[in-house]
Structures are given as structure tokens and as C-alpha cells.
């Protein structure tokens, strides 16, 4: 026997409904970085998705009102960093509006194609941006993987119910 959803209290589609549903969806946490006119930019993303193996391609979403959007909208390459459970503060820094994201204690270096590469992450990629697809108040960025390093140690950081958390066994 399968459970039947309670259809007595459905809610009309709205931004709040979408946010409420996706708070229940645990997602991996990534930081996207790019070179900018006045210095590096970056933001925390939970919308990272593998798109294609041949060629290796991924996607992520970014709001057009985000402070990083002007640089991402022009960038030829971006950095994609998979965060570990030891990086809750780093995730919070890159999610916080107005934060000095690349100041201390953030540890990073300039990587290939001028992309900021964060230190001590589980994995990182440098990707060539191939498209920016309009999607409501966001853009879906499609990017082809150029190179990377999957060898970081640790377990992944997750985002669930509005907070950063870790896997439980």
C-alpha cells in the first residue's frame, strides 16, 4: 500500500512554497568563484549539478541581483569548489551579503585562467563558461570542465532546513 498525500491543504505556487519545499531537500554545498574587475568574487551555491560526462559539463544557478552576478555574467572561466563539513564558516562567509569573502581567514590562490581557487576544499574545478540561460530572476550557467583536483580529504558539507550540516551515519 502506498501513502496518499494529504491534498486537503495544498498551497498555490509561490516563492515561499518553493523555498519551503526545497528547505527539505538536502543539497551539497559549493562555492563558485570568478575573477572580477575589482578583485575576485564568489558565492555559496547549492544548485550545482552535473550535466554531461562527454564533454564534462556542469551547471549552477545565480540570481541576477547577486553581488557576484556582474562578474559571473562576464567571466570566461569560473572556479567550482566542493566544501567539506569542516568549512561551515567558509560557506557562511560566501553566503553573507557584504562579507569580505576573500579576506582573512579565507585561504586562496590565483589558479588557471585567473580563477580564484580556494584551499582545503574536498575538490575543485576550473570551468569554461559556455552559456548563461535566463530562468526567472536567475541565470543557469553552463560550464565545461577544463581541469581540477578531486583529492581533498573529508566528508561533504550539506545544506538542509536553512542551515549548514554534515552527513550522519
Amino acid at each position: 500500500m502506498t501513502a496518499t498525500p494529504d491534498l486537503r491543504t495544498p498551497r498555490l505556487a509561490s516563492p515561499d512554497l518553493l523555498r519551503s519545499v526545497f528547505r527539505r531537500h538536502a543539497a551539497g554545498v559549493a562555492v563558485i568563484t570568478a575573477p572580477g574587475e575589482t578583485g575576485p568574487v564568489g558565492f555559496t551555491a547549492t544548485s550545482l549539478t552535473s550535466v554531461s560526462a562527454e564533454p564534462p559539463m556542469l551547471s549552477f544557478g545565480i540570481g541576477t541581483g547577486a553581488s557576484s552576478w556582474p562578474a559571473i555574467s562576464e567571466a570566461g572561466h569560473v572556479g567550482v569548489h566542493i566544501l567539506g563539513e569542516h568549512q561551515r564558516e567558509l560557506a557562511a562567509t560566501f553566503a553573507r551579503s557584504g562579507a569580505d569573502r576573500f579576506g582573512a581567514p579565507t585561504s586562496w590562490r590565483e589558479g588557471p585562467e585567473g580563477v580564484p581557487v580556494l584551499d582545503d576544499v574536498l575538490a575543485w574545478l576550473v570551468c569554461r563558461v559556455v552559456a548563461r540561460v535566463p530562468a526567472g530572476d536567475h541565470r543557469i550557467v553552463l560550464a565545461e570542465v577544463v581541469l581540477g583536483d578531486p583529492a581533498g580529504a573529508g566528508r561533504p558539507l550539506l545544506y538542509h532546513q536553512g542551515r549548514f550540516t554534515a552527513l550522519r551515519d
Side-chain angles (χ1 to χ4, degrees):
M1 178 176 249
T2 58
T4 304
D6 180 1
L7 298 177
R8 291 174 288 169
T9 57
R11 294 170 47 188
L12 291 175
S14 69
D16 285 341
L17 174 62
L18 185 68
R19 286 185 197 102
S20 294
V21 168
F22 273 87
R23 279 188 193 103
R24 294 177 174 272
H25 174 71
V29 180
V31 167
I32 310 297
T33 62
E37 262 185 41
T38 60
V41 301
F43 65 98
T44 300
T46 57
S47 61
L48 182 65
T49 304
S50 171
V51 172
S52 168
E54 223 18 80
M57 192 175 292
L58 56 82
S59 71
F60 60 86
I62 180 172
T64 56
S67 62
S68 297
W69 170 242
I72 299 290
S73 74
E74 299 291 327
H77 291 81
V78 295
V80 176
H81 307 83
I82 307 301
L83 300 190
E85 63 186 6
H86 63 286
Q87 295 177 301
R88 285 183 172 104
E89 287 303 314
L90 183 67
T93 296
F94 276 83
R96 194 169 31 256
S97 181
D100 181 4
R101 296 172 179 161
F102 290 90
T106 301
S107 179
W108 65 282
R109 64 194 179 286
E110 185 175 312
E113 304 295 339
V115 171
V117 175
L118 302 175
D119 292 335
D120 198 30
V121 294
L122 295 188
W124 62 267
L125 299 166
V126 171
C127 303
R128 180 179 62 84
V129 175
V130 297
R132 296 169 184 88
V133 181
D137 61 355
H138 278 61
R139 296 295 180 269
I140 304 302
V141 177
L142 293 168
E144 186 174 354
V145 176
V146 175
L147 58 92
D149 183 358
R155 294 166 48 118
L157 182 64
L158 299 179
Y159 187 74
H160 183 250
Q161 294 287 36
R163 64 186 189 94
F164 298 112
T165 189
L167 287 174
R168 294 190 182 93
D169 292 329

